[in-house]
Every structure is written in structure tokens, then in C-alpha cells.
Amino acid sequence: MASNFAARANQALMQSSPKWRLVVWLLLMLSASLWTLQLWQNGARVQSDILAMLPHLQQDKLTERALNQVEATLADQVYIALVAKDETTAIAAAKLLMQKLETDLVARGKQGALTDIRSADMQLGEALGQFYFPHRFKLLTAPQAEALASQNIESLIEAATAQLYNAFSYANSNLLAQDPLLLFPANLLALAPSSKVRASQGILLANQGDNVAAVVMAKGRESAFNPNAQLAQMTALTQGLDAVKQSYPDITVLKAGALFHALAATQTAKSEISILGLASLLGVIALVWLAFRSVMPLLLAIVTISSGLLLAVTFTLSVFGELHLLTLVFGTSLIGIAIDYSFHFYCERLSDTERSAQATVAYIFPTVTLAFITSALAYVGIGLAPFPGMQQVAIFCAAGLLGAYLTLILAYPLLAGSRLPAGSRPLALAGTYLASLTQLSKRFTTPLGMGMFALVILIWCLGGITKLTVDDDIRHLQQSPASVTEPENQLRQLLSGGTDNQFLLVRAPSEEALLQQLERVSPMLDTAITNQELGNYVSLSRYLPSHQKQDTAYRLQGEIYQTQLEQVLTSLGLDENLKPELQAAYLAAKTEYITPAAFFTLEAGKQLAPLWLAPNEVNSPTEHGAIILLGGIQQIDALKARFAHDESVQLIDKVADISAVMGHYRLLTLKLLALALGIALLLFSLNFGIKKAAVVVAIPALAALLTLATLGLTGSPLSLFHALALILVFGIGIDYSLFFASAQNHGKAVMMAVFMSACSTLLAFGLLAFSQTQAIHYFGLTLSLGIGFTFLLSPLILTTTQALTNNPLLTTKKS
């Protein structure tokens, strides 16, 4: 059936006009160019966000909202610490930086690259005091509540007396008239979490050894992973920091934030695209020139690559609306694969110089078509991974191969019509190599030879695979340079550990239940801090006591205002005429509560509002949720254990969750590889028969096993990117096997084409192995090993299939 299709296709190719095929190809390329230009004009863009490559986690609606809230809150924050020898200099430098950043914001008409420029908010305490003071009868610190519960009011009177004679206390006549025991100031101070930082003149300060660091914060108007936004934000920061350096040359600058990681990733990707892509292209050009010594093969090789890249970009932008930088880095490998069709065409022309270009295309059409299908299916296998970035790579490379394939079928019959110079030397070298390999391989077709060969391979594979380890940690996708991570770590230490990516999600069926849950969790986190499992946390329980807790505080303060008020006023020397007003104020406060809705209208409340997940008709219509931010995590497993059996509290660790998904898809990809081998065996058996098909499939399968074993022996851990690369080893290896299985005339032309193909592929993927990005490094390393093994093993198909043909029992034919 397949052979009949190939025959009909060959006949159609021979009968069709080369001129009309070239016209069709030109119209296709012109349409792709115009469509791509239209997509760019309509907003298609280059994406550099490493997070855009990550898999989409399957989460419940509330968890998904929480993740989005945390990412939106923390993603585009920029932190700058100006470290000076004294506090005065640090404060002056911070004020200058803020002034320069605000000047940029005004100059751009409120469209500055950085917004929400701030340090310490000196008015925050006053605003909170005004909000909470009317609710003072429903607020008590833990020591105050304990004293009232034990009816130890004398201790509170003593504390109030001490404040009266303290020159730095909050006590004044107005406060005493409304809060005689001065309970409220302690409650207001309790709102501020314990921290190493302090405020002075509106600037946030922290000590760094003998030096003082002033911290300035800002938020990017656009995503830090947008290349244009990166440039604008860094320009504003650089101008501000240059002004600081001119005025205060001894200042040391520490920077932290996603902006600096994104900038490093963008610079690395752009550098690798230009260097790796150019090196791959130059290597292929040199290879073509050395083999064919003619300008036309070189020009057609460039045309083939260009048409492949054009269709790759067109399809990718059409499907995704954007092109990831890492897709372009991976896509440089397309150069080494797309050129294979040109190699096979010209090597066949060298082997038969009398054959026309149209006849050569028709001759290799069945094998090239089958090779294109298997390679495209290999890329489709990569696209099954849950990574948008890897799905882009699949579309990009599959479409690129389609462009190269169509160029061969439609353009070569006319454009490649000129004759080549004598090519006996390259073919002779290929023939000599193949003859030597054939003599060597004949030893493996004897029972003893095959047994020894199998034993060596078995020892190698078992020795390597048993040492193979796995690593699914997404943090190894992109490792920022030390120039970015070291200042950030220092700044995190200044800010008491900062905020980590992990957080707690607390859920409850009602608002009151949620507030009570938060109050229950806070002591557990305090214990975790004591045990050095955690550095700090930010919880709304500090600002929003539950109605239950407010009622308890109100009832306990009844001991003051309903039974002991005269004693309190007398002991503190206050006017007894205050009693009626105080009791009236106490009774009036009974039905008044601190509520989330009122708190979130404050400026401080607005900053904390993202931590509150009120019911949402679209996502979570009945469930209430709250986020507790965690910082300075030292023992993540211990934290997980604290809440492992609590259904209402969930430790959200996106890094661990995505890593688990990567592990799942790593196994799935390896299973898909095994399935692909089975499908290929079935498909090829229709053309070659089961024995020959088994040999064709065995070559890439054995190359994959040897690659895994070598990774184990060299200590490289197995990840999803190794598994995805093995899919391509299979797809490209099948191409080599198919050409040798279909070879005639002892396969000199095929050997030369496969050699050139392997060289170009190794140029592309071997260079990827030098990438600074671990994901790309793993991908390139695995492809280099796999293609190298496939190249060494694939010529064995000739002698093995001859042995199978001559003697099914695998004995050598006697001469």
C-alpha cells in the first residue's frame, strides 16, 4: 500500500512541470512572508519570560487565584539597597534615588517605567491608629488578655503608671481620658511584625555589619520579562543610580527583583542565538563547500534553511502569537536538520551525474517523505509536554522541516538543474569508510561476534543506567549568574529573609471561620520561627481579629469598665468624672467590629488586600481564602509536615509542584518513545518486512540506550529535557536508518549524505550543549551523544540486512 502511494507520487513528480512547482513554492514563501509581517504589525512579540515555558498546573479555582495573586504582587517588584558607612549618608542617597525615579515618572506623564516608588511610610502608623482606636475595647495583646482573665488588674495599672512617667511613651491627657490603662499603644505596636529594619525620615533602614543600608522599593509598570519594559526600567534605574554614585561615590548598591534575573536571561539568550546560530550556519556552509566545491549547492542550502526558518516563525506566531527567546535558541538546531534534505539530494546527484534534478528528487522522494514524517512526529512528541515553550519548539521545528521539505520537492527540480563538479573524491572517501565499517561489522554477524557485541553493549548499558539519577527541579531551567544572585541574597538577609515563592493558603466556608483559622495558624508559624524552620511571615491575622477574638477582648475589658473603673481612675490619679463617658463609650462599642471590608479601604489595607480571597462568582463562589506569605524558609519539609494533615491549610510550593509535573512527563515521554518505536516497527514492516524493519528501528533504540548509559557514567542527571531530546534522537536516527535501508549501489551516496547530515546536526546540537541554560545544555548534550551513536551504528544496517537476507539464522554466507 505504501509502495503504491510512493510509486504514484513519483509518477506525479516526474510528470509535473518544474517551472510550475517553483511558482507554487514562490507563492507559498511570499504568502508566508506577508502573513508574518501582518502578525508582527498586529502585536506579535518576542517573549523572554522563563515562567512562560513552565507547565500549567491543574489546580482548584481558589489555589489558582492565590497563585495569580502572589505572582501579580511580587513579580515586578524592584528592591535597591544603598549601603553607606553612616545613617545620614544612606538616607541622603535613598532620597536622591527616589527623587530621580519620581522625576522620570513625572517626565513621562505618569507613564514611567517604575511606579509606586517608596521606602518607609511614616504616616502608616498614624492612619492605622485612627482606624483601630474606635475599636480599642475589642483589642488586647496576649499579656493584657492573660492579666484580665486572671483578674490581675494591678499589673496593668503598674504598666500604665510606668508609661505615665516615661518620657518616650505615647501617654497624653487626651489618650488617658479615653484609654486610662493605656492598653491601645501596645496593641498598635503589635501590628508591626518584628523585623531587623527600622524607619527614619521616611527611609527604611537596616544594619549591615558596621554599615547602614537604606532600602528603596518600586514596581515595574509592565512585566519585567518584556524586553522593552526591561530596557525602560533599567534605563530609569541606571540614571538614578548614576546620580547617586556621582554624589556619594562610596555607596555600595545591592539589587534584587525579577527584573535583574529576566535581564540576565534575555542577554544570555540573545548572545547564544547570535553565537550558536552563526557558528552553526558557518559550519554548515563550510561543510557544503568542502563536499561539493560549487556555489549552487551552497546557495540552495541557504535557501533551504531560510525557507524552513520562515515557515517556522510563521507557524509559531500564528499558533501562539509570540515567539519565546528559548524557542529561537532551540530553533538554531533546525539548521542542522533542515539541511539534511539538501545533502541527500546532492550526494545522489554526485553518485549519478547523468540523472536530472527532477529525476533525483523523484528518486529520493519516498525515503525523504518517510523521513520527514518520522522527524515531524518526533517533534509532535515533544509538543505533548505541558511546557508552552517546548510546544513552541515542536511547532517551530516541525514547521521548519516542512519548509525545507517543500523547498526540496518544489524548488530543487528547477533551481538545482546545473551540473556539479566531479565529486569522486568525497564519494570515494565515503565508500572507503563504508567498506571498512562493512568488513568490521561482518564479524558481528557471526553468532560469536553478535554474542560478544551484545555482551559489551549489555555491560555498558547496565553499568551506566544503574548509575543514572534524576533531576526534575525547575530551578535548573535557568540559573542566573552570581552577579545577580549574590547581591539579592545579601538584600534578602537585610529584609529578614524577604518573601519566598512558597506560601500558605488558608480556606474556610465563611469570613469569620477564615479569620479564626488564621488565628489558629499564627502560633504554629511562631513556633516554626523559634525552631528556625522559618524566618518570618505576613498574615492578615495580625490586622484582622476574628469576631470571636474581638468579643473575648470586649468581655475581658468589661472587668475594667464595668467593675474596676473607679479603682483604675483613683490609682492613676485621674478625674472620676471620666467614668460615665468611658462606660458609655465601652457600651457603644459592643456592636462595632473591625471588618475586612473597612480595613481594605485604608492605604495599608490596600497593600495587604491581595492576601484576601473573597468569594468570587466566577472562580470560587462559596469558599473564602487567605494567603500567608512566608520568608526565610530554612526547612521546607518541616513546614509541610506541620500542615500535612490539615485540610484547611495548604502549603503552596509552585516550584515543587511543577517539578513533580516535570517528573511525571519525563516518565510519560520515555513511554511515548517506547510506543513510537513500536509504531515505527509496524509501519516499516509494511515496506521492508518485519526482520529488516526490526533492524531499522533497533539502531535508534540502541543509540538511545547508549546515550542514557553514557549520561549515567558521566554523572549527568536525567531530566525531562533529556527525555525530549531522546525523542529527537529517535526521529533523526530513523532518517539515517531509512536511507541506509533503502540504499542501492553499496550506499556510498547515502554514507556521504549521512556523514554530512550527522556533522551538521552535531554542529547544531553540540553547540547547544555549551549553553549556559541548563535545559538547553541537557537537550544539546543528549542530542550530541544520541546522534553520534546513531551515526556510528546506522551503517551496520547494510551488512545486517544482507546477512538477514542471505541467512535468516544469522550465519555468515560461505564464499
Side-chain angles (χ1 to χ4, degrees):
M1 180 177 177
S3 59
N4 290 335
F5 169 78
R8 289 195 298 270
N10 268 331
Q11 186 178 3
L13 283 172
M14 290 298 292
Q15 293 176 352
S16 60
S17 168
K19 291 183 179 179
W20 280 110
R21 272 192 273 172
L22 182 62
V23 169
V24 171
W25 179 79
L26 289 173
L27 288 175
L28 177 64
M29 293 299 119
L30 179 61
S31 299
S33 301
L34 293 175
W35 178 243
T36 302
L37 183 61
Q38 179 71 18
L39 290 172
W40 282 118
Q41 291 177 343
N42 289 341
R45 62 195 180 102
V46 174
Q47 171 67 267
S48 66
D49 186 354
I50 191 68
L51 298 177
M53 278 195 70
L54 302 181
H56 300 298
L57 297 174
Q58 297 299 319
Q59 303 280 12
D60 63 83
K61 296 297 184 182
L62 191 64
T63 303
E64 188 175 345
R65 281 183 64 196
L67 283 167
N68 292 337
Q69 291 276 70
V70 171
E71 289 177 5
T73 303
L74 301 179
D76 301 320
Q77 293 286 345
V78 175
Y79 302 87
I80 305 293
L82 303 173
V83 184
K85 294 181 179 180
D86 59 87
E87 184 172 308
T88 303
T89 305
I91 291 174
K95 288 182 175 180
L96 177 59
L97 176 60
M98 293 174 69
Q99 177 189 346
K100 292 296 181 182
L101 295 179
E102 287 166 356
T103 301
D104 174 76
L105 182 62
V106 173
R108 294 172 182 263
K110 296 187 178 180
Q111 293 298 316
L114 296 168
T115 63
D116 193 19
I117 301 156
R118 65 198 186 280
S119 187
D121 189 347
M122 300 302 289
Q123 298 178 341
L124 181 62
E126 183 180 348
L128 288 174
Q130 293 175 355
F131 173 75
Y132 283 108
F133 190 73
H135 303 285
R136 61 192 178 280
F137 300 108
K138 293 190 173 179
L139 294 172
L140 286 175
T141 63
Q144 291 170 351
E146 183 180 351
L148 289 173
S150 61
Q151 297 185 344
N152 185 15
I153 200 167
E154 288 78 10
S155 63
L156 297 179
I157 294 174
E158 291 176 4
T161 303
Q163 288 193 57
L164 285 174
Y165 294 101
N166 186 340
F168 299 99
S169 74
Y170 294 92
N172 58 57
S173 58
N174 186 43
L175 180 60
L176 283 168
Q178 300 177 76
D179 180 21
L181 284 177
L182 299 176
L183 301 180
F184 180 70
N187 283 277
L188 190 60
L189 289 174
L191 295 175
S194 58
S195 175
K196 299 176 183 177
V197 298
R198 63 187 190 279
S200 177
Q201 301 181 41
I203 301 298
L204 199 63
L205 300 173
N207 292 329
Q208 188 189 48
D210 296 332
N211 298 325
V212 178
V215 181
V216 175
M217 295 164 280
K219 185 175 179 64
R221 183 175 294 280
E222 297 181 71
S223 171
F225 296 99
N226 181 321
N228 293 330
Q230 288 175 15
L231 179 61
Q233 292 174 26
M234 282 305 301
T235 300
L237 278 174
T238 302
Q239 290 175 351
L241 291 173
D242 285 347
V244 170
K245 278 289 187 179
Q246 288 178 2
S247 301
Y248 307 97
D250 294 333
I251 286 284
T252 301
V253 179
L254 302 177
K255 296 179 286 190
L259 170 64
F260 308 107
H261 292 275
L263 188 66
T266 301
Q267 291 173 342
T268 299
K270 287 182 177 178
S271 173
E272 290 180 356
I273 288 169
S274 57
I275 295 174
L276 301 184
L278 180 61
S280 179
L281 184 60
L282 291 177
V284 168
I285 290 173
L287 196 62
V288 173
W289 176 257
L290 291 173
F292 304 117
R293 300 301 176 93
S294 174
V295 175
M296 186 53 68
L298 195 57
L299 292 177
L300 277 182
I302 295 173
V303 168
T304 304
I305 293 171
S306 301
S307 60
L309 291 175
L310 174 60
L311 281 195
V313 172
T314 301
F315 273 73
T316 305
L317 292 180
S318 298
V319 174
F320 297 98
E322 63 182 20
L323 192 60
H324 202 288
L325 277 174
L326 290 184
T327 300
L328 291 175
V329 176
F330 276 109
T332 59
S333 63
L334 181 64
I335 296 171
I337 303 174
I339 199 66
D340 290 357
Y341 303 135
S342 182
F343 291 158
H344 284 291
F345 172 84
Y346 276 108
C347 288
E348 287 297 337
R349 289 214 67 189
L350 276 180
S351 67
D352 187 352
T353 56
E354 299 301 320
R355 186 187 291 148
S356 68
Q358 185 175 3
T360 304
V361 171
Y363 175 73
I364 66 174
F365 174 77
T367 307
V368 168
T369 300
L370 195 56
F372 163 68
I373 292 173
T374 53
S375 296
L377 288 176
Y379 279 116
V380 170
I382 287 180
L384 294 176
F387 289 74
M390 295 311 297
Q391 290 165 358
Q392 275 199 26
V393 170
I395 295 291
F396 187 92
C397 292
L401 285 181
L402 177 62
Y405 172 78
L406 292 176
T407 302
L408 172 69
I409 302 303
L410 299 176
Y412 273 51
L414 188 62
L415 296 182
S418 59
R419 291 183 177 275
L420 289 173
S424 57
R425 179 171 175 74
L427 284 176
L429 290 174
T432 303
Y433 173 78
L434 189 59
S436 302
L437 201 61
T438 300
Q439 291 296 322
L440 179 64
S441 64
K442 283 182 178 180
R443 300 178 183 179
F444 298 140
T445 57
T446 64
L448 179 60
M450 289 197 70
M452 292 296 294
F453 180 74
L455 181 62
V456 171
I457 295 297
L458 183 64
I459 293 174
W460 189 346
C461 290
L462 287 178
I465 291 176
T466 53
K467 292 183 179 180
L468 198 61
T469 59
V470 298
D471 182 8
D472 299 311
D473 195 334
I474 65 163
R475 284 168 291 198
H476 296 160
L477 282 177
Q478 182 86 40
Q479 293 181 327
S480 297
S483 59
V484 174
T485 57
E486 288 180 1
E488 181 172 89
N489 290 334
Q490 293 181 46
L491 186 46
R492 284 174 64 87
Q493 290 300 317
L494 288 177
L495 298 175
S496 304
T499 302
D500 292 325
N501 292 321
Q502 298 88 350
F503 61 90
L504 290 179
L505 174 60
V506 183
R507 60 183 78 212
S510 67
E511 183 177 283
E512 173 63 13
L514 179 59
L515 293 173
Q516 291 182 26
Q517 290 280 29
L518 290 172
E519 290 169 352
R520 181 180 62 84
V521 170
S522 291
M524 300 171 69
L525 293 176
D526 291 334
T527 303
I529 292 175
T530 302
N531 294 341
Q532 297 184 341
E533 299 168 12
L534 182 67
N536 59 82
Y537 67 93
V538 178
S539 174
L540 288 170
S541 65
R542 193 184 302 275
Y543 305 93
L544 293 173
S546 65
H547 283 202
Q548 182 185 62
K549 186 175 182 179
Q550 291 181 63
D551 287 338
T552 300
Y554 184 80
R555 178 178 53 80
L556 289 174
Q557 289 205 46
E559 178 71 17
I560 302 172
Y561 294 102
Q562 291 184 319
T563 62
Q564 303 287 338
L565 188 54
E566 289 184 6
Q567 178 188 349
V568 169
L569 295 174
T570 302
S571 300
L572 295 173
L574 300 176
D575 190 347
E576 292 185 3
N577 291 329
L578 294 174
K579 180 179 178 181
E581 294 181 13
L582 287 170
Q583 289 181 330
Y586 173 79
L587 293 173
K590 183 174 183 179
T591 57
E592 298 297 324
Y593 290 94
I594 300 167
T595 64
F599 176 72
F600 293 135
T601 61
L602 298 174
E603 189 60 36
K606 290 176 183 177
Q607 295 178 17
L608 295 170
L611 304 183
W612 185 257
L613 303 173
N616 183 300
E617 293 182 3
V618 177
N619 295 324
S620 50
T622 59
E623 201 167 24
H624 293 67
I627 296 166
I628 300 178
L629 298 177
L630 306 175
I633 296 176
Q634 301 296 326
Q635 302 178 44
I636 186 69
D637 292 334
L639 277 177
K640 287 181 178 179
R642 287 185 180 277
F643 305 103
H645 304 292
D646 194 336
E647 295 182 356
S648 63
V649 183
Q650 179 183 2
L651 179 60
I652 305 296
D653 187 354
K654 189 175 181 179
V655 171
D657 292 342
I658 295 176
S659 298
V661 171
M662 286 183 65
H664 168 74
Y665 278 93
R666 171 178 47 79
L667 292 173
L668 180 60
T669 302
L670 294 176
K671 292 177 182 178
L672 284 173
L673 177 59
L675 178 62
L677 289 169
I679 294 174
L681 179 62
L682 180 63
L683 180 64
F684 297 155
S685 64
L686 300 176
N687 270 350
F688 304 121
I690 186 65
K691 293 179 181 178
K692 195 171 183 180
V695 175
V696 170
V697 173
I699 294 300
L702 184 56
L705 285 175
L706 290 172
T707 300
L708 288 174
T710 305
L711 290 173
L713 292 172
T714 56
S716 179
L718 183 64
S719 71
L720 174 61
F721 294 94
H722 292 94
L724 293 173
L726 288 176
I727 292 281
L728 278 191
V729 169
F730 163 73
I732 299 171
I734 283 291
D735 288 2
Y736 298 170
S737 299
L738 283 173
F739 280 107
F740 274 112
S742 305
Q744 299 178 11
N745 301 324
H746 305 292
K748 287 191 295 184
V750 172
M751 186 68 250
M752 180 180 172
V754 167
F755 171 76
M756 295 184 67
S757 173
C759 286
S760 64
T761 305
L762 287 173
L763 269 174
F765 291 116
L767 291 172
L768 289 184
F770 292 99
S771 172
Q772 297 179 32
T773 304
Q774 286 288 75
I776 300 175
H777 165 74
Y778 288 156
F779 197 85
L781 176 63
T782 307
L783 257 297
S784 299
L785 290 172
I787 296 305
F789 285 126
T790 304
F791 169 73
L792 293 175
L793 295 172
S794 56
L796 300 178
I797 290 177
L798 286 175
T799 51
T800 305
T801 51
Q802 288 174 5
L804 287 172
T805 302
N806 295 333
N807 193 332
L809 296 178
L810 299 179
T811 57
T812 55
K813 183 179 178 180
K814 295 182 180 179
S815 56

